Amino acid sequence: MRVGIIGGGQLGRMLGESAQLLEIESLFLEPSPSPSAAVAGEVIVAPYDDRVALDRLARECEVVTYELENVPVDTVRYLAGKVAIHPGPGALETAQDRLAEKRFFRSRGVSIAAFVPVDSVEQLEAGIELLGLPAILKTRRMGYDGRGQLYLADPEQASGAFAALGSVPCVLEEVVPFDRELSILAVRDRDGATATWPLVENRHAGGILRWSVAPAPEVDRELQLLADALATRLLEALQYVGVLAVELFQVGDRLLANEIAPRVHNSGHWSIEGALTSQFENHLRAILGLPLGQTSVLLPCGCVNLLGRLPDLSELLAVPGARLHLYGKEPRPGRKLGHVTVLGADHGQIRARIDAVRALTAG
Ligand SMILES: Nc1ncnc2c1ncn2[C@@H]1O[C@H](COP(=O)(O)OP(=O)(O)OP(=O)(O)O)[C@@H](O)[C@H]1O
Ligand SMILES: [Mg+2]
């Protein structure tokens, strides 16, 4: 069996590694030569919209998926006419446009931050009047890791901010006074069966995920059920196949949805060691029409991203309970070079081990 994977970054690499355990081959499409995923399968080096390359994926693979959100929707549509591709173009299209995404959440009764669409400086000024400041201006498209957004504290910033983001369509959002950030990963298979992993607590800095704890501490049954129901509702609404991540803000006992990622997600890396079935394996099982694996937790985990430069490996490996994953990428400021999952007996031990890893890294 062969699976086509559009994108050759670390998510593709970990999908491919998971596929190897099931003796499923991976064929990647990735424009940059020698990408992270090259250790896990053959790479077609071509742009994501290269028709010859797409035809080859369709011809040689049973099913195609993608590991990045900014693959052109036209690529997915084109492939959908030739081969099974999951998730389908509808989910991708929704996730790529923050405005469509917010309307989708609302249409499904999911709470979100107050927002206004912004297509001009005038609309931005009106939005600031309406929502008040501080607020966050975000481009509708192509944002990731906090790129394409600006925190506005002063109405004077309006015209400069809109121009600084390229005068492209945006949304202005209230700043949510959240207690913490959470995410839920969920999976749906081709027959409509679903499963969720426990809520994960995520800490960001500068818009980039720094570290996570899974399962999130202090989650009562109601909160988990609320998140499960929310994620499952979204999966069903999209007739989704594969793993979906939903980023959430917790405010008291409420959950506001921030965004969805139509793919495996950084906040699910812990599941490689910490869950009976990882997000990567269940994504493959779902898209290939295999039965989903159980998502039960084996041990609580922390996950720390290694950003920009690698710490001393022997110090890192000396942290008790640490499992190191390197992505084979050249160091560059802010770049995700790997992650460390720490396992422990309880949340106290996890936090101590996360702190030990963080003391060795810039993250
Ligand atoms: N409305 C908000 N209120 C408070 N904090 C916010 C808000 N929107 C975003 N943030 C903070 O900025 C981070 C990045 O925002 P968001 O997830 O919208 O952007 P992104 O760049 O698309 O991120 P990703 O890499 O997850 O795709 C959030 O995880 C959160 O920490
Ligand atoms: Mg996000």
Side-chain angles (χ1 to χ4, degrees):
M1 228 163 3
R2 215 166 198 219
V3 53
I5 301 177
I6 303 173
Q10 67 270 14
L11 298 176
R13 177 182 177 116
M14 288 183 274
L15 274 171
E17 286 169 345
S18 200
Q20 283 172 338
L21 297 176
L22 302 173
E23 293 192 338
I24 294 162
E25 282 178 32
S26 301
L27 178 60
F28 296 94
L29 171 61
E30 168 59 43
S32 55
S34 45
S36 178
V39 294
E42 189 185 339
V43 183
I44 306 172
V45 181
Y48 300 131
D49 57 359
D50 184 297
R51 292 290 163 99
V52 175
L54 296 176
D55 287 344
R56 188 172 159 213
L57 277 183
R59 213 168 43 241
E60 294 184 15
C61 301
E62 269 77 22
V63 59
V64 177
T65 188
Y66 41 91
E67 60 97 81
L68 77 169
E69 216 160 305
N70 287 326
V71 43
V73 173
D74 281 347
T75 285
V76 175
R77 281 228 174 79
Y78 177 77
L79 281 170
K82 297 174 173 279
V83 62
I85 179 157
H86 303 296
L92 182 66
E93 200 163 27
T94 304
Q96 280 184 353
D97 178 355
R98 287 189 193 276
L99 185 58
E101 191 174 49
K102 288 176 185 302
R103 288 178 172 152
F104 170 64
F105 286 136
R106 280 203 172 152
S107 75
R108 300 292 155 172
V110 174
S111 306
I112 55 173
F115 76 95
V116 287
V118 166
D119 293 326
S120 65
V121 175
E122 292 68 39
Q123 280 180 350
L124 177 55
E125 285 166 349
I128 290 172
E129 283 282 310
L130 195 74
L131 298 181
L133 290 178
I136 303 179
L137 184 66
K138 300 181 179 179
T139 59
R140 277 172 59 177
R141 294 181 172 279
M142 301 299 265
Y144 70 98
D145 287 346
R147 288 180 222 200
Q149 26 184 298
L150 285 172
Y151 185 92
L152 304 184
D154 178 345
E156 299 288 299
Q157 284 173 279
S159 72
F162 188 67
L165 291 181
S167 303
V168 293
C170 290
V171 292
L172 183 71
E173 279 178 33
E174 68 167 327
V175 174
V176 177
F178 56 75
D179 300 320
R180 58 178 173 171
E181 290 189 76
L182 298 169
S183 59
I184 183 147
L185 278 95
V187 60
R188 184 173 178 276
D189 74 12
R190 293 183 347 196
D191 298 326
T194 60
T196 58
W197 285 264
L199 278 161
V200 180
E201 179 170 339
N202 300 312
R203 298 296 180 94
H204 294 81
I208 303 183
L209 181 63
R210 304 294 162 142
W211 54 275
S212 303
V213 183
E218 288 164 56
V219 171
D220 58 25
R221 204 175 128 73
E222 281 75 58
L223 192 71
Q224 183 66 49
L225 288 175
L226 189 65
D228 289 346
L230 187 161
T232 307
R233 206 179 327 152
L234 299 179
L235 286 176
E236 278 160 8
L238 294 165
Q239 287 294 295
Y240 193 93
V241 176
V243 166
L244 175 79
V246 189
E247 297 179 7
L248 302 161
F249 299 129
Q250 183 181 359
V251 188
D253 55 8
R254 297 179 65 220
L255 293 175
L256 302 187
N258 175 30
E259 57 175 355
I260 53 171
R263 53 170 169 78
V264 288
H265 193 256
N266 199 167
S267 69
H269 293 354
W270 66 276
S271 62
I272 297 175
E273 285 90 2
L276 209 51
T277 315
S278 75
Q279 61 165 345
F280 300 103
E281 181 165 333
N282 257 348
H283 183 72
L284 294 166
R285 290 185 186 213
I287 65 173
L288 285 159
L290 298 168
L292 295 180
Q294 287 183 306
T295 52
S296 343
V297 175
L298 300 173
L299 267 183
C301 292
C303 181
V304 182
N305 277 337
L306 302 176
L307 302 172
R309 63 168 189 86
L310 290 176
D312 181 79
L313 288 195
S314 35
E315 285 181 319
L316 204 54
L317 294 172
V319 175
R323 304 278 306 150
L324 176 63
H325 295 254
L326 295 177
Y327 304 154
K329 288 157 70 171
E330 283 302 313
R332 206 189 292 150
R335 197 169 197 209
K336 290 179 187 169
L337 302 177
H339 73 265
V340 180
T341 299
V342 290
L343 292 95
D346 54 45
H347 281 122
Q349 196 169 59
I350 295 296
R351 270 310 297 266
R353 291 175 176 183
I354 288 174
D355 290 346
V357 173
R358 292 184 64 224
L360 301 172
T361 65

